[in-house]
Amino acid sequence: MTIRTRFAPSPTGDLHVGGARTALFCWLYARHCGGRCVLRIEDTDRERSTDAAVQAILDGLEWLGLDFDEGPFFQTRRMDRYREQVERLLDAGRAYRCYCTREELEAMRTAQRQRGENPRYDGRCRTRREPRPGVEPVVRFANPTEGEVVVDDIVLGESRFANAQLDDLVIARSDGTPTYNFTVVVDDLEMEITHVIRGNDHLNNTPKQINMLEALGGVRPAYAHVPMIHGADGRKLSKRHGAVAVTQFRDEGYLADALVNYLARLGWSRGDQEIFSREELVAHFDIHDVNKAASVFDTEKLAWLNQHYIKQAPAEALAPLLADQLARLGVEPAAGPPLAQAVAVQRERARTLAEMAEKSLFAYCEPEAYDEKVAAKHLTAECAPLLAALRERLVALDGWREEALDAAVRETAQAAGAKLGQLAQPLRVALTGTAASPPIDQTLALVGRERSLARMDRALARLSAGPAAS
Ligand code: GLU
């Protein structure tokens, strides 16, 4: 049997981490089994579905590198198929037209509540043969009235649902449009889905869907309902917890590989291994190993993984991403050193590319002003002769390479009987406006000859003008 999974988002917003993890599990399991993964856009709710959301979902999936074998199929383009299947159920006596008015339904529910029963449709139109003039009927599924549906879920284990508690679901509205649960069933059937992997918020739909699917003559797929993702406060993950949209992580400088690795480990594990390449995930991921407890989204851990992938990726691959981040800060990367050089210098100390861009700003634009506290501490009268001596040595330097720059700084300090920090720290402030930057030779290399000398001049001018000037 070829394993066929599907990811079936409703395009009502961005692709969030919960949906992304479901998509990943569907994709991984299909890849692991040598099967196929289908992308289906469940856009029949015309009021809530938007083209922008479709695009955002496709962008998010593409960025994560989840390529689907089939689709995207849009449910709105399959209306004829749903209508045909409604007719089939009507012909087979497994569905019926219901002419109840809104008022009638309301009165029925009120009476049920008064009797202490759960409100549900009582099936009064099941046996009706005559249309009711002036009422456009809906179509309801004739749910079995006896027995139970046993869902043997791969993740959650067994759940039992008494048929008597299940409603005769409306499958087509009075205007003929199909309803959500029905379109899912028709599609899962016709797309020959073998494994339905989705969030456990859909578990309650499952018995109804199984009944309809079996009424259509389908063989039920295996179900795997994956647990919700919570924030650190134990509540369902939402915007309140920070970034939740996949593309927001991209914009904040996370790498797709890091997020994929992180999401795969949310609910699934293999021993205590934390870092998995995509190949390893495909080789080892099995939906049967997914845990049923809710997972907690841990931003610290994601950042840790991101740093791992930043350290590992080829500098050339990160260069365009750093350029994007610099552009976000309004900085033109062409004005500074080659991006791969900045990546090579900064990758050990940045957890995201956004952070890398922030920390590399000094190499791409002039520091607007000194951090005054830092300048007051480090740009003192004593360092002026040291800086001036270094400047002279640097002017005479052949080339602008890290080893030579390092030697120049060390030798200047040594010659003056000063400690390295007594020169390096003021120099750092002169070059970057702050007291934190990569090792001083790398900082000089990134800023480049002309600009380094100019910035040293500026610091020397401040020193000769006295401490209050800048
Ligand atoms: N369209 C549903 C959602 O976005 C998923 C339905 C399903 O996977 O069966 O929540």
Side-chain angles (χ1 to χ4, degrees):
M1 175 178 76
T2 304
I3 299 295
R4 291 176 60 84
T5 63
R6 86 308 194 263
F7 176 52
S10 302
T12 54
D14 286 322
L15 178 64
H16 285 181
V17 288
R21 187 194 47 174
T22 303
L24 177 64
F25 282 8
C26 291
W27 184 88
L28 280 176
Y29 191 56
R31 290 282 174 278
H32 174 74
C33 299
R36 295 178 74 76
C37 189
V38 176
L39 176 59
R40 179 167 89 216
I41 306 290
E42 303 204 320
D43 57 349
T44 54
D45 183 343
R46 296 316 288 158
E47 269 167 30
R48 297 181 59 227
S49 303
T50 65
D51 291 345
V54 170
Q55 200 49 53
I57 291 168
L58 296 179
D59 288 348
L61 293 172
E62 191 190 343
W63 178 66
L64 289 172
L66 302 184
D67 51 337
F68 288 80
D69 301 300
E70 294 171 32
F73 298 111
F74 291 83
Q75 289 192 319
T76 43
R77 297 187 198 154
R78 292 177 43 79
M79 288 301 178
D80 290 348
R81 293 301 304 147
Y82 308 132
R83 280 196 192 101
E84 276 169 36
Q85 298 290 20
V86 169
E87 288 304 321
R88 269 188 63 206
L89 287 182
L90 281 168
D91 290 346
R94 298 303 307 269
Y96 60 93
R97 293 196 167 80
C98 168
Y99 292 86
C100 291
T101 60
R102 197 179 292 267
E103 295 72 33
E104 218 169 329
L105 292 171
E106 204 35 63
M108 179 172 70
R109 292 193 193 108
T110 309
Q112 286 167 335
R113 275 194 214 98
Q114 280 165 357
R115 292 196 299 271
E117 298 167 10
N118 280 338
R120 53 189 282 279
Y121 186 68
D122 64 6
R124 63 180 66 179
C125 282
R126 274 188 176 219
T127 50
R128 171 189 281 277
R129 291 287 163 264
E130 292 308 307
R132 203 186 235 179
V135 180
E136 275 306 326
V138 298
V139 178
R140 287 184 187 272
F141 175 64
N143 196 74
T145 48
E146 287 168 5
E148 57 180 4
V149 182
V150 182
V151 181
D152 193 7
D153 191 271
I154 293 176
V155 176
L156 302 178
E158 191 180 280
S159 308
R160 291 169 173 268
F161 300 85
N163 273 320
Q165 295 302 317
L166 302 178
D167 235 338
D168 279 359
L169 218 65
V170 173
I171 58 175
R173 301 182 186 90
S174 51
D175 63 2
T177 56
T179 55
Y180 166 73
N181 275 294
F182 189 66
T183 57
V184 169
V185 166
V186 172
D187 286 348
D188 285 344
L189 183 65
E190 296 192 352
M191 295 172 188
E192 299 178 336
I193 300 305
T194 60
H195 289 72
V196 171
I197 299 172
R198 60 185 174 196
N200 70 6
D201 48 339
H202 287 285
L203 181 65
N204 283 335
N205 290 329
T206 306
K208 304 172 208 171
Q209 292 182 1
I210 287 176
N211 282 336
M212 290 190 279
L213 188 116
E214 291 181 343
L216 286 169
V219 179
R220 65 163 95 166
Y223 290 91
H225 286 91
V226 297
M228 295 286 108
I229 302 176
H230 290 172
D233 57 0
R235 291 160 74 181
K236 203 177 156 213
L237 196 68
S238 72
K239 286 194 184 134
R240 183 178 66 232
H241 297 99
V244 280
V246 160
T247 42
Q248 199 179 339
F249 285 100
R250 176 194 63 194
D251 296 347
E252 291 181 7
Y254 289 85
L255 297 181
D257 283 342
L259 192 56
V260 162
N261 189 154
Y262 182 72
L263 291 176
R265 285 284 286 98
L266 266 188
W268 173 81
S269 59
R270 183 167 193 264
D272 47 18
Q273 186 174 342
E274 292 288 1
I275 291 168
F276 290 87
S277 66
R278 277 180 206 245
E279 293 70 32
E280 285 176 302
L281 288 175
V282 168
H284 300 301
F285 179 85
D286 189 333
I287 193 70
H288 297 83
D289 296 334
V290 170
N291 201 306
K292 66 174 153 196
S295 337
V296 175
F297 197 85
D298 179 348
T299 18
E300 277 303 305
K301 190 161 156 193
L302 173 61
W304 173 78
L305 271 172
N306 202 48
Q307 182 157 36
H308 165 82
Y309 282 93
I310 286 180
K311 283 185 195 165
Q312 224 189 24
E316 296 71 37
L318 297 184
L321 305 180
L322 177 60
D324 289 348
Q325 292 296 337
L326 285 167
R328 281 178 182 279
L329 298 172
V331 170
E332 174 51 64
L339 289 154
Q341 187 185 348
V343 170
V345 168
Q346 299 284 25
R347 63 158 95 227
E348 293 293 327
R349 53 180 65 79
R351 302 205 308 170
T352 65
L353 288 158
E355 215 176 292
M356 190 185 282
E358 287 276 354
K359 291 187 169 173
S360 305
L361 273 180
F362 69 86
Y364 293 92
C365 55
E366 291 304 309
E368 275 169 22
Y370 296 118
D371 174 334
E372 267 315 318
K373 249 193 172 152
V374 165
K377 180 161 173 216
H378 296 291
L379 285 186
T380 55
E382 297 83 76
C383 75
L386 277 172
L387 273 182
L390 176 64
R391 190 189 185 287
E392 234 167 84
R393 214 181 259 258
L394 292 180
V395 171
L397 209 60
D398 223 5
W400 198 257
R401 303 176 62 83
E402 282 172 20
E403 308 80 66
L405 292 166
D406 181 63
V409 178
R410 280 177 200 285
E411 285 162 19
T412 307
Q414 233 165 33
K419 288 199 198 116
L420 181 63
Q422 285 173 281
L423 171 56
Q425 216 41 9
L427 177 59
R428 181 166 276 122
V429 178
L431 294 173
T432 71
T434 70
S437 79
I440 201 64
D441 53 332
Q442 297 181 355
T443 303
L444 277 165
L446 278 178
V447 175
R449 177 185 215 111
E450 297 310 317
R451 293 189 304 168
S452 292
L453 295 175
R455 290 182 198 181
M456 289 170 77
D457 286 343
R458 184 172 153 209
L460 285 165
R462 169 185 162 116
L463 287 169
S464 64
S470 72

